Amino acid sequence: MKIYLKSYIYLLIFNSLGLIPLQVKSQNITSPNIVLIYADDLGYGDISSYGGDIPTPHIDNLAKNGLKFTNAYAAAATCTPSRYAMLTGEYAWRKQGTGVAPGDATSLILPGSTTLPGVLQKAGYKTAVVGKWHLGLGKKAPVNWNKDIKPGPLEIGFDYAYLLPATGDRVPTVFVENHRVVNLDPEDPITVSYRKNLDEGPTGSKNPEQLKMMYSHGHNQSITNGISRIGYMSGGEKALWQDEDIADVLINKSVGFIEENKDSPFFLYLATHDIHVPRVPHKRFAGTTGKGARGDVIVQLDYTVGTVQKKLKELGLEENTLLIFTSDNGPVLDDGYVDGAAERLAEHDPFANFRGGKYSTFEAGTRVPFLVQWKGKVKSNQESTALMSQVDFLRSFATFTGQNLPKDIAIDSQNHWNTLIGEQAKGRKSVVQQAIRNVLSYIEGNYKYIEPHSGPSMVPWGVEIETGFNQEPQLYNLKKDPGETENLASKMPEKTKEMAAALNKIRDSKVLGTSTTD
C-alpha cells in the first residue's frame, strides 16, 4: 500500500520578530516518516489529556490533532520485555532471559531476527534509535566497553544508534554511539562488574555523604554525578553522563537525525528516560510543578515531544510524519531513590484509578497512554476504545509497506494498520500481558483472566505496588469494574475455564493466528 501526500509550500513559524512566512521544501516520497516516542514508566494518568494534574500541552496536542486510544497496552509491566516484544513482534515470555536486563547483558535480539526497524529499513527507510536501549549489547559476557560493542541495534535493522546501554540507575553510566562509548579516553578504560567493587571506589552504602540524592532501596553501589547506582564501574571519567543533561542530549541527537534525513523517509525510535529513576530534571524544569522531581520530569518529557514537533514543522514534514507516543509500562513512585514522588503527588494520580502499577498483573502495569498523529491522514480529536497492543507495530507496518511476512515469525504481532490510523474501530480480539516472574494475564472482550501464582501479594523490593499474584485464578469484568475490585472466578467458573484455556493455547502456539485472531 502506498500513500502519496501532497507537499505544501508555506509554513508560519514564530521567532523573536513575530510571524514570518517561510518557503519550505517538503519531501517528495511515497511513504510517511515515522516517529515513535517511547516514554519510560509513564502512567495512564500522567498525561493531562488522560486526566493527569500536570500540564502536558505538547503531548495533549497529539490527541487534539489525532487519535487517542483508551484501551491500549504495552506487552509487559516492565521495560525489557515490553521493548523486546514491540521490536520483535513476539511476546518476551516466549524467550528465556528477557526479564529486566542487567546493565551488562549481552544482546537479546540477535542478528538475523525480524524486527520493526528491519522491516522499515527493507522498505527504504533510514532508521535510528536514540535513548534507552535496555536490550543488551555485545556477544560475550563480560562486555568489553573499550572496543567495538556488537551486535547491537545496527545489526538488527537500525542505521544509527545513540544509546543509554541499559537504564540511568545502572552502570555503565555512559552513552554508546553506534558501536563505541562516546568520549572514551583509551588511557582510562572502563570496567564494569555487577558482583564486586572493582577498585574499592566510593559507593552509596559506604559514602552517603557524597550523594546528592539518597537511595531508598538497592541503588547503593558505584556513584556517578552524586547518585549511586546498581552495579560497580571504574574508569571512563570523561565519558560519564550528567543526568541533568540526558534529555537535551537525546533531543539534539533526534532532531539531528531528522534534519539529516529530511529528504528521504525515516523511522526514529526515541526512547526517553525522564520518568525512570533516578529522576533528575534539568534546571529549566526543576521545581516547576510543585510535585517533586517526578512531576518536573513529566514536564521535561512534554518539552521533548514539543521540540520534535517543532522541528517537523520547521522542515515542512509534519503532514508527512506519523507520530506515535506511548509508554513501556505503567507508573511507579519510589523505585529506589528518595525523591518525593509519592509525597508530592497531591491531586495527581499516575495510576488513573487502576489497580497495581509497574511490575504488576493489574491494569496499571500495562495499560498506557497511546496517541497517534498524522496530520491530513488521521482525523483530529478522535478517541478509540479498540483493544491495541504495541506488539502489533511490526506486522502493521510490514503490511503498510507491502511486505508479506511468513506466519512463523513475529508470531504474536497482528496487522491493525487501519485501526492504528483511525480508519477502523475494531482492534484485537484478545491480548496477553506479562508481569514480573512471567505471570501472565489474558484479556478478551470485557474480561480479564489472571493465572494463579503463589508469589507475594506486594512487589517484594519496597515499591508499595500490588503484584496481583493469587494462588486462585482471578477474573474481572474490566468494563464494569476497571479497578479490578471483584474477582468473578468463583461466580463464573465456566468463563474462567474458557479464558484459562485460551491463554494456554496462546502459550503453546508457534504460528501466527493459531490463537490470536483479528
Side-chain angles (χ1 to χ4, degrees):
M1 174 181 177
K2 298 293 183 181
I3 302 296
Y4 293 88
L5 302 173
K6 293 181 180 179
S7 63
Y8 64 102
I9 304 174
Y10 292 100
L11 174 70
L12 295 180
I13 64 170
F14 285 98
N15 70 6
S16 60
L17 299 178
L19 287 171
I20 301 175
L22 294 180
Q23 185 168 333
V24 181
K25 181 180 179 182
S26 294
Q27 290 179 345
N28 180 21
I29 60 174
T30 58
S31 299
N33 307 305
I34 302 163
V35 176
L36 171 59
I37 301 179
Y38 206 50
D40 198 331
D41 292 358
L42 186 76
Y44 188 95
D46 273 324
I47 303 305
S48 54
S49 57
Y50 283 84
D53 195 45
I54 295 171
T56 52
H58 299 297
I59 298 172
D60 296 339
N61 278 337
L62 299 177
K64 292 176 184 177
N65 295 326
L67 176 58
K68 170 186 171 184
F69 288 95
T70 59
N71 196 23
Y73 292 86
T78 52
C79 42
T80 298
S82 58
R83 290 160 198 267
Y84 177 91
M86 183 184 70
L87 292 179
T88 65
E90 182 176 298
Y91 292 133
W93 45 264
R94 295 191 186 278
K95 179 177 179 177
Q96 287 188 339
T98 56
V100 178
D104 59 351
T106 55
S107 290
L108 298 179
I109 306 175
L110 299 178
S113 302
T114 299
T115 65
L116 174 61
V119 163
L120 292 171
Q121 190 181 61
K122 188 175 180 180
Y125 281 75
K126 291 294 184 181
T127 58
V129 54
V130 175
K132 174 181 168 179
W133 184 238
H134 210 186
L135 289 165
L137 292 169
K139 187 176 183 179
K140 288 185 177 181
V143 177
N144 186 340
W145 299 96
N146 306 291
K147 296 183 178 180
D148 278 359
I149 307 164
K150 57 184 180 181
L154 271 59
E155 284 67 49
I156 62 166
F158 287 107
D159 295 306
Y160 176 74
Y162 196 96
L163 312 173
L164 284 75
T167 60
D169 60 342
R170 288 171 171 80
V171 298
T173 47
V174 297
F175 294 113
V176 173
E177 186 170 28
N178 295 328
H179 293 133
R180 302 289 295 195
V181 171
V182 177
N183 294 329
L184 179 63
D185 181 354
E187 300 300 317
D188 183 25
I190 293 171
T191 306
V192 168
S193 173
Y194 276 74
R195 296 167 185 82
K196 62 180 180 179
N197 194 350
L198 298 159
D199 58 359
E200 297 303 317
T203 65
S205 58
K206 293 181 179 180
N207 307 94
E209 74 282 354
Q210 295 188 22
L211 300 178
K212 64 183 182 184
M213 177 186 291
M214 182 57 66
Y215 61 90
S216 58
H217 48 84
H219 302 84
N220 62 357
Q221 296 172 336
S222 284
I223 300 172
T224 302
N225 190 27
I227 302 168
S228 52
R229 321 278 170 157
I230 300 171
Y232 301 100
M233 174 181 173
S234 65
E237 189 69 26
K238 292 181 180 178
L240 300 177
W241 67 48
Q242 293 292 307
D243 298 77
E244 295 85 347
D245 296 332
I246 288 176
D248 283 347
V249 171
L250 302 187
I251 288 170
N252 290 338
K253 294 299 177 181
S254 296
V255 299
F257 174 78
I258 291 171
E259 288 174 335
E260 289 172 11
N261 294 279
K262 63 183 183 296
D263 295 322
S264 61
F266 61 79
F267 167 57
L268 169 64
Y269 167 39
L270 169 53
T272 65
H273 186 271
D274 311 75
I275 321 302
H276 194 286
V277 295
R279 304 170 184 126
V280 190
H282 190 275
K283 63 182 179 181
R284 300 193 307 276
F285 307 103
T288 57
T289 65
K291 290 180 169 56
R294 191 175 185 279
D296 298 341
V297 293
I298 289 175
V299 173
Q300 180 172 277
L301 170 65
D302 186 68
Y303 171 81
T304 295
V305 174
T307 304
V308 171
Q309 290 171 315
K310 180 181 178 182
K311 178 55 63 176
L312 293 171
K313 290 179 182 179
E314 288 178 355
L315 296 175
L317 303 179
E318 189 178 33
E319 292 189 2
N320 198 35
T321 299
L322 172 63
L323 199 159
I324 301 171
F325 175 88
T326 188
S327 179
D328 66 345
N329 50 247
V332 59
L333 300 178
D334 179 355
D335 205 18
Y337 296 95
V338 181
D339 64 2
E343 297 81 0
R344 304 289 291 277
L345 275 181
E347 300 301 314
H348 184 67
D349 179 14
F351 308 93
N353 293 318
F354 293 124
R355 197 170 175 184
K358 182 179 180 180
Y359 310 113
S360 175
T361 62
F362 289 130
E363 283 293 278
T366 50
R367 195 185 297 208
V368 290
F370 192 117
L371 300 168
V372 178
Q373 175 187 290
W374 183 4
K375 285 192 173 182
K377 183 61 178 177
V378 174
K379 295 178 182 178
S380 60
N381 274 312
Q382 287 191 81
E383 187 169 302
S384 175
T385 60
L387 180 61
M388 293 290 284
S389 173
Q390 295 166 7
V391 76
D392 295 329
F393 287 158
L394 192 153
R395 202 166 283 269
S396 297
F397 282 113
T399 300
F400 168 66
T401 55
Q403 300 177 63
N404 187 17
L405 300 180
K407 290 184 176 182
D408 60 350
I409 60 173
I411 65 172
D412 299 302
S413 188
Q414 300 175 7
N415 169 32
H416 290 290
W417 171 255
N418 289 331
T419 309
L420 183 68
I421 62 172
E423 292 185 353
Q424 180 174 298
K426 180 184 176 183
R428 275 180 160 260
K429 175 187 174 184
S430 64
V431 69
V432 179
Q433 301 301 107
Q434 175 185 355
I436 53 172
R437 302 193 178 184
N438 281 356
V439 177
L440 303 183
S441 58
Y442 175 73
I443 297 170
E444 182 178 337
N446 294 332
Y447 290 95
K448 176 177 177 180
Y449 166 79
I450 302 175
E451 65 181 355
H453 191 271
S454 60
S457 62
M458 301 295 290
V459 176
W461 49 88
V463 300
E464 298 186 7
I465 287 176
E466 293 181 280
T467 60
F469 298 166
N470 193 314
Q471 294 187 46
E472 300 298 323
Q474 297 173 75
L475 181 72
Y476 298 98
N477 185 324
L478 294 179
K479 185 174 182 179
K480 294 180 179 179
D481 180 26
E484 296 168 286
T485 60
E486 183 183 6
N487 183 4
L488 301 172
S490 62
K491 295 180 180 179
M492 303 178 67
E494 290 303 314
K495 184 65 176 178
T496 302
K497 185 178 179 180
E498 172 192 321
M499 297 283 279
L503 173 60
N504 288 330
K505 185 176 181 181
I506 295 170
R507 199 197 311 263
D508 295 338
S509 65
K510 301 297 181 184
V511 178
L512 177 79
T514 58
S515 54
T516 53
T517 56
D518 292 348

